Amino acid sequence: MANSLPEDQQQNVRRALRHLQNVFGTLKALAQAMGVPYQSVRHAMVERRNPTAARAFRAALAAGVPM
């Protein structure tokens, strides 16, 4: 799949999402800033779904950092 990431990069995205959850205050606020459903972010963080490059890109946009 073109949007999939290697395992080490998936773990990096999960770490970034956990950090951004703290920055935004809640996971719901982070998901809203990313423009994705809350459950989508929550599942990616607890390894129910693999974080994708698209999810990493949306997280970077929400954080205001280049990717």
Side-chain angles (χ1 to χ4, degrees), residues 4-36:
S4 63
L5 298 171
E7 181 60 35
D8 62 327
Q9 291 178 2
Q10 290 178 29
Q11 291 302 323
N12 289 338
V13 172
R14 287 185 182 102
R15 282 186 206 98
L17 290 172
R18 283 191 293 273
H19 173 73
L20 288 173
Q21 177 183 2
N22 290 330
V23 169
F24 280 88
T26 66
L27 191 56
K28 188 174 183 176
L30 171 59
Q32 189 173 23
M34 290 174 61
V36 298

Side-chain angles (χ1 to χ4, degrees), residues 25-58:
T26 66
L27 191 56
K28 188 174 183 176
L30 171 59
Q32 189 173 23
M34 290 174 61
V36 298
Y38 161 82
Q39 293 293 344
S40 176
V41 179
R42 188 174 74 77
H43 287 175
M45 289 176 66
V46 297
E47 300 185 24
R48 288 190 183 159
R49 292 188 189 152
N50 293 332
T52 61
R55 190 74 66 234
F57 181 73
R58 285 181 174 268

